[in-house]
Amino acid sequence: MDFNLDETQRELRELAAGLLGREADRQRLEAFEKTGAPYDTAVWKALGQAGLLGVCLPEEVGGAGLGAIELTVVLREIGAHVAPVPAYASLALAAVPLAAHGTAAQRALLAPLNEGEAVLTGAYREVGPPGEVAATARPDGDGHVLDGVKTFVPYAAEAARILVPARVTGAGAQDGQIGVFLVEPSQVVLTPQPSATTEPLSRVELAGVRVTADALLGGAADGAAWRTLRRSAVAGAVALASGVIEGALNLTTEYVKTREQFERALAQFQAVTMQIGDVYIAKRALDVAVWAAAWRLSEDAGNGPAAGDADEVLAIASYNACEPVMKALYTCQHLHGGIGLDVTYPLHRYFAWGKQLGHLLGGAEDQLDTLGSLLAQEA
């Protein structure tokens, strides 16, 4: 395992950081938030034109055909700049499973995404612990009828397709297996749900939604596409969280260096130094787990021996994103004093993003339960 980025990955990081530093700076973010738009289309298209949205897309649709490490690089920079774009929804929740398991016709849906001309998303969450699938898919002729409810689906109304995991019911070899279905937003009932950020979230109700045979990702409900979607959903979320805490730490570090109290910079006080050190430790702990998971998933697309403990590492990363990193974000607010709570100061965006990612991942207790179950299976 090597945590050092190679030359291509470093150039990718520099490209993403430079573009987002220009296109998603403080003034641009403030102006966007006044529009009420679901996402910043200018930044989204700029990412596409720079080739950053195509890093994990197949070459046949204009992408670079790269893997989990490169996607992690891009998502970390988006988190570090809290850029209001549907990158997590389109790439981690949709593009990764589509590229890995989709038919040629299904993968063609990725071409507009490569240019920043489209949005895709996936319905990862339901009521209950993360990773549970209660939605059903009943065979009906050459297609399926979907029933169930998905929650907190990002950009559902804006997406060209929603990837919906559902458990196949009825007689047959696929009974009880989980398939992933491509569903158009117009086929489902969307209800807005609360969001900690400007990102739109929706409750997606599937009430007898009929889809044709070509809607089943890869043409098979064997659990493989769901496994990829589930892992990618978690890996993408912790990558964003890793960028978020890095951005918050950088902002806080600069603040305590320049803010003076009793004619001394805050950074000169031992108590402040110890607290900023705790934030750094929380960030590094998450970083280690994030890169370990990305390496495992990149080795063989998450299905071979190199990724055998990917779920354990992802659970560790998720716990760190939900608990230590959230405590670190509170510390960043504390070190800023009252300005840390001011919505005219950029720190609030990092805190809101951290909160939302923690909710998406299910919270620290769920992650500890998941990790315990995985370890028990090995005993």
Side-chain angles (χ1 to χ4, degrees):
M1 185 187 303
D2 186 357
F3 288 161
N4 294 314
L5 300 179
D6 62 27
E7 183 178 358
T8 299
Q9 293 158 353
R10 290 195 300 270
E11 290 177 354
L12 183 66
R13 181 181 61 190
E14 292 169 5
L15 174 62
L19 186 149
L20 291 167
R22 296 189 305 272
E23 300 291 334
D25 61 13
R26 180 174 175 177
Q27 289 73 27
R28 288 284 296 270
L29 291 176
E30 290 174 353
F32 163 76
E33 288 168 352
K34 295 176 182 177
T35 67
Y39 64 95
D40 192 322
T41 55
V43 178
W44 187 236
K45 290 182 179 179
L47 289 168
Q49 292 167 0
L52 293 169
L53 298 182
V55 292
C56 64
L57 303 188
E59 294 181 7
E60 67 197 65
V61 298
L66 300 176
I69 293 176
E70 290 77 15
L71 179 57
T72 298
V73 168
V74 173
L75 290 178
R76 282 190 83 254
E77 289 303 322
I78 288 173
H81 292 83
V82 285
V85 291
Y88 171 70
S90 295
L91 300 178
L93 295 182
V96 170
L98 257 174
H101 302 282
T103 63
Q106 291 168 341
R107 291 196 302 271
L109 294 169
L110 297 171
L113 170 60
N114 186 52
E115 301 296 327
E117 299 293 338
V119 174
L120 298 168
T121 192
Y124 167 61
R125 289 299 307 269
E126 291 187 4
V127 175
E132 299 251 339
V133 178
T136 60
R138 173 173 52 84
D140 182 57
D142 63 347
H144 290 83
V145 175
L146 308 180
D147 288 283
V149 173
K150 302 292 183 176
T151 57
F152 302 108
V153 181
Y155 300 99
E158 292 75 24
R161 295 289 191 282
I162 305 171
L163 272 66
V164 176
R167 194 176 298 276
V168 176
T169 62
Q174 296 182 339
D175 182 32
Q177 294 290 329
I178 298 174
V180 177
F181 298 84
L182 300 173
V183 179
E184 296 183 17
S186 60
Q187 295 179 278
V188 301
V189 178
L190 300 178
T191 305
Q193 290 189 295
S195 171
T197 69
T198 59
E199 180 179 72
L201 299 175
S202 297
R203 176 183 185 270
V204 176
E205 182 179 354
L206 304 146
V209 174
R210 192 184 189 284
V211 293
T212 55
D214 58 2
L216 178 58
L217 190 59
D222 56 7
W226 164 236
R227 181 169 56 249
T228 298
L229 192 160
R230 175 176 54 79
R231 286 175 168 168
S232 181
V234 178
V238 295
L240 280 178
S242 177
V244 164
I245 188 57
E246 181 161 311
L249 175 60
N250 291 339
L251 190 66
T252 307
T253 301
E254 289 303 312
Y255 180 81
V256 299
K257 283 181 180 178
T258 57
R259 176 67 173 175
E260 291 188 356
Q261 192 174 61
F262 306 116
E263 299 182 352
R264 294 173 61 189
L266 289 177
Q268 295 178 3
F269 291 90
Q270 184 179 24
V272 171
T273 303
M274 293 174 64
Q275 289 181 76
I276 204 74
D278 289 340
V279 176
Y280 176 78
I281 291 170
K283 184 193 88 73
R284 289 295 296 143
L286 176 58
D287 286 345
V288 169
V290 165
W291 290 119
W295 177 80
R296 283 164 170 79
L297 295 175
S298 69
E299 282 298 287
D300 54 5
N303 294 315
D309 60 346
D311 289 330
E312 290 180 16
V313 179
L314 287 171
I316 293 169
S318 297
Y319 168 76
N320 277 278
C322 294
E323 182 81 2
V325 163
M326 277 311 305
K327 288 182 178 179
L329 287 168
Y330 275 108
T331 300
C332 289
Q333 281 194 334
H334 171 71
L335 291 174
H336 275 85
I339 197 174
L341 299 173
D342 193 334
V343 295
T344 64
Y345 186 75
L347 183 63
H348 78 278
R349 298 188 184 93
Y350 294 102
F351 188 84
W353 275 51
K355 271 287 189 183
Q356 182 145 310
L357 290 167
H359 289 316
L360 174 71
L361 290 166
E365 294 298 325
D366 273 339
Q367 294 308 321
L368 290 177
D369 287 345
T370 298
L371 182 59
S373 297
L374 291 170
L375 293 174
Q377 292 173 13
E378 297 180 0

